[in-house]
Amino acid sequence: MSDAYETRLVDSGGTTYERVAIAVVIGSLAAFSLGATALFEWIPIDGSVTGASTATYFGAALLALGAAIGVLGVLSRWGGVRTTPDRSVGLGDAAIQFVLWTITTGAIASNTLGLDAVGWLLGVPIGGIVGYLTLVAREDISATLPVAAFVCFVGVVVTTGVIAPSWTWEPSGFDAVIPGRLVIPLLTMVGGLFAGRASAAAYAGFGTRGRQNGAFLLISLVVLLTLSVLAFLLVFVFERGITVVLENLTVGAGTALLLVVAALASLVRSGRLDPATADGTDKLLSFVALAVGSALALAGAALAFVIVRGRSVSGYAVTIEPTTVIGAAPGVLVGAIGLAMLRRSRSPWVPTTERGRTVARGLRVAVGAMIVTAFLELGTGGELAIGGIAVVPTIAFTVAGVAVVAAGVHAATRLAVDRSLPAWVPPLPSTGTLALWAFVVVCLHGVVTGNSFGGAVGINGSGTIDWPFLMNPSQGLGIQKGVMPALVGTVWIVLGAVVFAVPLAVGAAVFLTEYAENSRFTQAVDIATNGLWSTPSIVFGLFGLAFLVPRFGDSPSIFVAQLVLGFMLLPLVLITSREAMKSVPDEYRDASAALGVSKWDTIRSVVIPASMPGVITGAILGVGRIAGETAPLLLVLNGPNFPNASPRVLAGFTVDVGLRPPFLHVSNPALLERASALPYQLYAVITAGVGAEESFGWGTTLVLLGVVLAFYAMGIASRRYFRSKLHQ
């Protein structure tokens, strides 16, 4: 075959050129990251390293970047490197250079040189000259040399101390003082942005591909800045609130070990601990999961050592007691995690003999009885007993005994020779499920009643975690104040809003998407829901105060707060639910109709399950908004700033059966009482300065952030569950 069409994409010079360009890209990323960390004060810009100012190193880094970018442009234009630049970089880049040089030179001339307005007049022609040269020069020159000159100029200004951390700028038109410790990181980040874009374009040889590379890197750096802001927010709140939140925290080593083992088992069950079997971004996640798993294993070993040693360990206001007793509340959590893992890993037991089916039915009845009685105790807040015998523990221990006997039969069968397992004995996964259900129910019984089971190794109903900040009331008699009443109030308000808004929004979305014609009515609904979502929260609060409060007890209450926040959540869930249902392919509906399935059955079994990830996404976003709302709660909740008792919503339900319609009377006075919430209490502490130190407010902020993230986590887990169901 002729080699007339063979083309060498790069030569040896081009390879070196690309290596230099990628090195400059990496340096730009490093400069941008360092600027962001200095902006967030993670690196002290006014500090010193080996006798030199930290700002001097920033300036030197910018000088090196600028020089390298200039070399890339010169090599492309006159160094014989094979690139494909266009004739001009374009008017947009020229305008950017004009604005950039005008602002920079004008600010320095007017403030540092003391020229005032004349300095700004000087900056305009300099910016115009740079912009014009950028427009008329070939792309490889105009995309690199102006950027190199700007980065070097900033580097010289910072290195020579013209702009130092102690430097200030006081614009005459604004009542503000802009310090150098803010300007230097910002200039470093801007220099990193432009240097990265130029070097990425040079790496791709300029032209269309180079501009795409530069735009991609620019967007990546902006995304990195966004993530940095989020990380800074979390770290900022964490470092100010963690001390007061963890003060006097005491944890039993047995409970902590149980939680660590459950987390490690969940991580192993996810199957992401082997980076060798992963590709792409999954490999990075596998390395992260492996690191987390290793840390959990080390923590578990340390907790086991504490138990064996028999001595408590203290550090950072936290004490770990060497007890093997498990707290009831953590036991419920760990048992639920174990049940979820078993459900995913096993197939249901379908016995083939009549005796086996009888055993299966009996076990289902026993498990159902356990669950029903446990929830009855949870609702009534007391222990169910017949003839002085507690119902829940009796059933649970009976089921646990059956599970132990079945496990013993399995073990005996394995040890015996030429023995097969009887057909009526449930398999080991089903036996494990029975034992876990019994464990969860006993732990839930311990949470409700406070009863303990077992001795040195058992379940402690009162708990083995003593967390004063989370468990104490705001005006308790303990060592410090706590946020328990406000935390419980926040959870009940958000849950009530979700229960009220989500079914209503999904039902409206089903009608508007599946039944209503596309008409002016549906268009009006779209406009109304979008307008309702953008309505300020204080308007919802005023509506609740003027309309809902007089109709529900004529007093601010939890129930009115739930309705108000539900009205705020409703439009977003409706909008996202409609869009999710519209995205379900019509082929799904047509295939269901072709099988003779009715329209409602199609909606119930096809459309709604397929749109559930979108519905849950809307609920997640809405919960993130309403959980932190303060203005409506000031009007419709209006409880004490520091309550000394949590609202007893579950225990407040009363059910009366009468002979008059509606025959069944359900009431809950606790829902019509005033209460507090974390945003409400936070406002009282931080803004109004009522009743507590600022550190208490930061601790409350951290707890509120944790509550919101917990709701996010539950929503994300639900969304992943429905997505996995769709792909089965």
Side-chain angles (χ1 to χ4, degrees):
M1 179 181 293
S2 173
D3 60 353
Y5 296 101
E6 290 185 2
T7 303
R8 294 178 63 191
L9 297 180
V10 292
D11 52 19
S12 59
T15 301
T16 305
Y17 183 81
E18 290 178 354
R19 292 175 179 173
V20 173
I22 199 64
V24 179
V25 170
I26 296 173
S28 303
L29 290 173
F32 183 85
S33 302
L34 288 175
T37 54
L39 181 65
F40 298 146
E41 298 182 353
W42 294 345
I43 295 178
I45 194 66
D46 52 356
S48 61
V49 179
T50 63
S53 170
T54 306
T56 304
Y57 288 98
F58 278 72
L62 291 175
L63 276 173
L65 277 179
I69 295 168
V71 169
L72 292 176
V74 170
L75 287 177
S76 174
R77 183 67 179 86
W78 296 290
V81 178
R82 182 171 298 178
T83 55
T84 57
D86 291 340
R87 296 181 61 183
S88 174
V89 74
L91 185 60
D93 282 14
I96 291 174
Q97 292 296 331
F98 167 74
V99 173
L100 187 65
W101 280 90
T102 299
I103 293 176
T104 304
T105 56
I108 292 177
S110 62
N111 185 69
T112 304
L113 301 182
L115 300 179
D116 296 329
V118 178
W120 289 103
L121 294 177
L122 180 64
V124 173
I126 293 178
I129 293 172
V130 175
Y132 173 76
L133 294 177
T134 302
L135 182 63
V136 299
R138 203 174 79 167
E139 185 191 8
D140 49 1
I141 294 297
S142 58
T144 55
L145 293 189
V147 173
F150 171 76
V151 175
C152 287
F153 174 70
V154 172
V156 169
V157 167
V158 174
T159 304
T160 57
V162 176
I163 296 181
S166 58
W167 175 88
T168 58
W169 178 31
E170 300 181 14
S172 57
F174 303 94
D175 187 14
V177 178
I178 302 176
R181 65 177 182 272
L182 175 64
V183 174
I184 294 175
L186 286 176
L187 288 176
T188 304
M189 292 172 65
V190 172
L193 279 174
F194 283 99
R197 182 176 180 234
S199 54
Y203 174 75
F206 302 101
T208 302
R209 185 165 172 259
R211 287 192 292 272
Q212 289 176 346
N213 271 17
F216 178 77
L217 183 65
L218 193 64
I219 294 172
S220 300
L221 290 177
V222 172
V223 172
L224 177 63
L225 178 61
T226 304
L227 296 177
S228 301
V229 171
L230 177 60
F232 173 72
L233 172 64
L234 296 176
V235 173
F236 187 82
V237 175
F238 183 83
E239 67 180 3
R240 282 162 176 78
I242 190 62
T243 302
V244 65
V245 170
L246 294 182
E247 187 177 356
N248 298 320
L249 170 62
T250 303
V251 183
T255 299
L257 182 60
L258 181 67
L259 293 173
V260 167
V261 170
L264 186 59
S266 300
L267 199 59
V268 173
R269 179 67 180 81
S270 67
R272 294 182 178 178
L273 294 180
D274 188 5
T277 60
D279 296 319
T281 57
D282 290 339
K283 185 178 286 294
L284 177 62
L285 293 176
S286 296
F287 277 111
V288 173
L290 184 60
V292 172
S294 301
L296 289 174
L298 291 176
L303 291 170
F305 178 74
V306 170
I307 295 174
V308 172
R309 186 184 179 190
R311 293 183 181 179
S312 60
V313 177
S314 300
Y316 199 69
V318 179
T319 302
I320 299 178
E321 296 291 344
T323 175
T324 55
V325 178
I326 298 170
V332 173
L333 175 63
V334 172
I337 294 174
L339 287 172
M341 288 192 294
L342 276 179
R343 182 178 179 182
R344 279 192 239 171
S345 62
R346 73 177 183 92
S347 56
W349 176 43
V350 182
T352 57
T353 64
E354 185 61 31
R355 179 179 294 182
R357 286 190 285 269
T358 302
V359 171
R361 282 194 297 268
L363 294 177
R364 284 195 296 267
V365 170
V367 171
M370 281 194 306
I371 296 173
V372 170
T373 53
F375 275 98
L376 285 175
E377 286 190 342
L378 186 63
T380 58
E383 184 179 53
L384 294 180
I386 298 177
I389 300 176
V391 176
V392 173
T394 302
I395 301 176
F397 289 139
T398 302
V399 172
V402 172
V404 170
V405 171
V409 172
H410 278 278
T413 303
R414 289 188 177 183
L415 293 175
V417 181
D418 298 331
R419 289 286 302 274
S420 60
L421 188 69
W424 56 269
V425 178
L428 279 178
S430 299
T431 302
T433 302
L434 288 175
L436 277 176
W437 270 119
F439 176 73
V440 169
V441 169
V442 170
C443 289
L444 190 59
H445 176 78
V447 170
V448 174
T449 63
N451 296 335
S452 300
F453 304 94
V457 180
I459 299 172
N460 189 349
S462 59
T464 58
I465 299 177
D466 183 16
W467 199 336
F469 192 82
L470 290 187
M471 296 179 176
N472 283 359
S474 301
Q475 293 180 345
L477 299 177
I479 300 175
Q480 63 194 50
K481 293 181 179 180
V483 296
M484 173 58 78
L487 175 62
V488 174
T490 300
V491 172
W492 278 120
I493 290 170
V494 173
L495 288 179
V498 171
V499 171
F500 166 69
V502 172
L504 190 60
V506 174
V510 168
F511 172 77
L512 294 172
T513 306
E514 303 296 328
Y515 291 100
E517 298 288 339
N518 189 11
S519 61
R520 291 185 178 179
F521 170 73
T522 56
Q523 295 174 1
V525 171
D526 288 337
I527 295 173
T529 51
N530 285 295
L532 193 62
W533 171 243
S534 59
T535 301
S537 61
I538 190 65
V539 176
F540 285 95
L542 290 172
F543 165 74
L545 179 65
F547 183 80
L548 295 177
V549 168
R551 288 160 176 80
F552 294 100
D554 201 18
S555 173
S557 61
I558 297 175
F559 185 65
V560 175
Q562 290 173 337
L563 292 179
V564 169
L565 295 187
F567 284 129
M568 294 178 59
L569 179 62
L570 180 63
L572 178 62
V573 180
L574 175 57
I575 293 169
T576 55
S577 299
R578 285 199 65 190
E579 295 300 324
M581 291 177 188
K582 288 179 181 179
S583 66
V584 177
D586 289 335
E587 289 81 0
Y588 290 8
R589 300 176 177 87
D590 296 340
S592 181
L595 294 174
V597 180
S598 65
K599 186 177 183 65
W600 167 244
D601 287 336
T602 300
I603 295 171
R604 180 177 57 84
S605 58
V606 176
V607 177
I608 293 180
S611 59
M612 280 305 294
V615 175
I616 295 174
T617 299
I620 292 173
L621 296 175
V623 165
R625 177 188 178 186
I626 66 174
E629 285 292 345
T630 305
L633 300 184
L634 292 174
L635 300 175
V636 300
L637 191 61
N638 197 21
N641 293 326
F642 301 99
N644 53 18
S646 303
R648 297 177 60 84
V649 175
L650 277 180
F653 279 102
T654 59
V655 180
D656 296 325
V657 179
L659 299 178
R660 294 181 180 180
F663 306 111
L664 188 66
H665 303 274
V666 181
S667 63
N668 191 342
L671 285 175
L672 299 179
E673 295 176 354
R674 299 171 184 260
S676 184
L678 290 173
Y680 185 89
Q681 187 168 288
L682 183 60
Y683 169 82
V685 174
I686 297 294
T687 306
V690 177
E693 301 82 6
E694 184 177 345
S695 60
F696 180 81
W698 283 112
T700 306
T701 305
L702 183 58
V703 174
L704 176 60
L705 193 60
V707 170
V708 174
L709 293 178
F711 280 119
Y712 277 164
M714 288 187 290
I716 292 172
S718 302
R719 185 174 60 188
R720 292 188 62 182
Y721 170 76
F722 282 104
R723 282 182 175 173
S724 64
K725 296 290 285 184
L726 289 176
H727 291 88
Q728 286 181 355

